[in-house]
């Protein structure tokens, strides 16, 4: 295991411990609003702090991009952190949330971990070395048709600009005879579950880099493909993502294509 994965896993576990502990006391949490349907709790903040402290101790010169505290400058290594992905679930006591930590070097994803503290599942990947769930190697599914596929997604709930387009996409995914669409509520875990072969594919519009940086590497290292809506590489800029095994990814792009307007071309 790469030393950076060891450190990132340590940081993710420390944050996960905080999340499990506070889960028993949700009623007394201090919560503030960042915008429409966008909440941040003391758990998000405490989780981010322990992650940053752990990473900084090992790598004082690295740069950081973290959801709650923003950007801090450093050398060519940059940690991308979502301390608690699935805050809405968390605040409602729904046990589907995760910690996501990725490392990018000169813009290339090198390492990533997504930790599910409820199931004690540590998903990890290093570029060129494959993806793991705890000690087990991961592989995307080899399903070749949308018929029978389980597809994860995220339903827009903050930014509703593309809601009608999204609903048309959803309709086409459903009528492609998929076995079902799932909206669990943590994009980081959705990607990890594609890597683990639990989902055949996943798509969501308007994500942020910290939602998918680690997850995208997991999917690729598990043999899958991640792209923007047009099949290109621009998802770090647009936040529009499609992931799946190679065949399913192609079929999903074909299904989404008729709905791409000027703003959603990537
Ligand atoms: C959210 C989750 C959710 C996705 C949202 C994200 P947060 O992250 O990943 O599944 O649909 O777009 O913002 O706010 O809970 O860290
Ligand atoms: Ca998130
Ligand atoms: Ca978050």
């Amino acid at each position: 295991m790469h030393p950076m994965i060891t450190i990132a896993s340590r940081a993710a576990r420390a944050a996960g411990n905080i999340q499990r502990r506070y889960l028993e006391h949700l009623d007394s949490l201090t919560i503030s609003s960042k915008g429409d349907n966008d909440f941040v709790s003391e758990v998000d903040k405490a989780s981010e702090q322990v992650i940053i402290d752990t990473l900084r101790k090992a790598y004082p010169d690295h740069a950081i991009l973290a959801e709650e505290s923003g950007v801090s400058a450093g050398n060519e290594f940059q940690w991308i952190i979502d301390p608690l992905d699935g805050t809405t679930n968390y605040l409602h006591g729904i046990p589907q949330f995760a910690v996501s930590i990725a490392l990018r070097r000169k813009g290339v994803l090198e390492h990533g971990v997504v930790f599910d503290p409820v199931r004690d599942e540590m998903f990890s990947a290093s570029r060129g070395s494959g993806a793991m769930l705890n000690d087990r190697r991961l592989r995307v599914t080899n399903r070749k048709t949308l018929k029978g596929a389980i597809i994860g997604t995220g339903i827009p709930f903050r930014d509703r600009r593309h809601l009608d387009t999204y609903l048309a996409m959803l309709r086409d995914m459903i009528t492609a005879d998929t076995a079902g669409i799932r909206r669990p509520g943590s994009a980081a875990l959705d990607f990890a579950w594609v890597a683990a072969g639990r989902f055949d594919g996943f798509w969501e519009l308007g994500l942020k880099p910290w939602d998918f940086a680690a997850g995208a590497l997991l999917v690729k290292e598990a043999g899958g493909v991640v792209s923007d809506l047009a099949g290109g590489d621009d998802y770090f800029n647009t936040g529009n993502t499609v992931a799946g095994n190679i065949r399913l990814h192609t079929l999903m792009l074909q299904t989404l294509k008729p709905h791409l307007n000027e703003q959603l071309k990537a």
Side-chain angles (χ1 to χ4, degrees):
M1 190 190 288
H2 193 283
M4 286 188 182
I5 291 285
T6 308
I7 300 293
S9 305
R10 186 180 301 158
R13 273 190 198 285
N17 286 341
I18 293 173
Q19 292 163 18
R20 267 204 309 253
R21 208 165 56 234
Y22 277 89
L23 201 50
E24 322 273 314
H25 313 283
L26 287 179
D27 289 347
S28 54
L29 280 188
T30 310
I31 300 164
S32 45
S33 171
K34 293 194 278 184
D36 285 348
N37 278 335
D38 199 359
F39 299 100
V40 58
S41 73
E42 58 187 296
V43 178
D44 299 72
K45 291 178 184 164
S47 301
E48 186 160 300
Q49 197 54 55
V50 76
I51 293 167
I52 291 176
D53 289 348
T54 308
L55 298 175
R56 277 255 163 77
K57 204 166 152 200
Y59 304 109
D61 299 331
H62 288 189
I64 286 175
L65 168 62
E67 180 179 8
E68 310 304 345
S69 54
V71 177
S72 47
N75 61 17
E76 81 256 32
F77 292 90
Q78 182 192 46
W79 293 96
I80 305 177
I81 303 163
D82 191 333
L84 173 47
D85 185 57
T87 296
T88 306
N89 278 348
Y90 185 84
L91 295 178
H92 288 258
I94 300 171
Q96 180 77 6
F97 52 86
V99 183
S100 174
I101 304 175
L103 179 83
R104 259 199 314 183
R105 186 182 186 190
K106 294 182 182 163
V108 178
L109 285 170
E110 295 289 346
H111 306 286
V113 302
V114 172
F115 180 52
D116 173 346
V118 173
R119 300 178 182 83
D120 197 24
E121 291 188 326
M122 182 70 72
F123 299 87
S124 64
S126 293
R127 189 166 64 88
S129 302
M132 310 285 285
L133 165 48
N134 296 335
D135 297 329
R136 187 164 58 83
R137 190 167 282 278
L138 295 181
R139 187 80 204 154
V140 293
T141 64
N142 56 16
R143 187 176 299 282
K144 294 181 177 52
T145 58
L146 278 170
K147 186 176 164 57
I150 285 274
I151 307 289
T153 188
I155 299 172
F157 66 108
R158 288 181 193 132
D159 179 353
R160 302 194 189 123
R161 275 175 305 166
H162 301 297
L163 183 57
D164 289 340
T165 306
Y166 172 81
L167 291 173
M169 291 172 167
L170 179 62
R171 182 173 215 292
D172 283 0
M173 286 289 181
I174 293 169
T175 52
D177 261 353
T178 44
I181 310 293
R182 298 287 182 270
R183 200 288 189 241
S186 159
L189 276 184
D190 293 333
F191 279 92
W193 285 16
V194 172
R198 294 174 185 171
F199 288 161
D200 295 295
F202 169 79
W203 94 102
E204 183 163 353
L205 313 183
L207 289 172
K208 297 284 194 272
W210 45 78
D211 297 318
F212 59 76
L217 186 63
L218 281 163
V219 170
K220 289 182 189 173
E221 288 298 322
V225 182
V226 181
S227 75
D228 57 37
L229 295 173
D233 269 342
D234 211 24
Y235 52 95
F236 259 92
N237 294 323
T238 65
N240 302 328
T241 58
V242 186
N245 76 43
I246 293 179
R247 184 79 189 113
L248 251 279
H249 176 264
T250 305
L251 293 172
M252 288 177 75
L253 286 183
Q254 283 168 8
T255 307
L256 300 175
K257 194 170 178 189
H259 304 291
L260 300 190
N261 53 38
E262 272 315 308
Q263 291 158 329
L264 288 175
K265 282 269 161 62

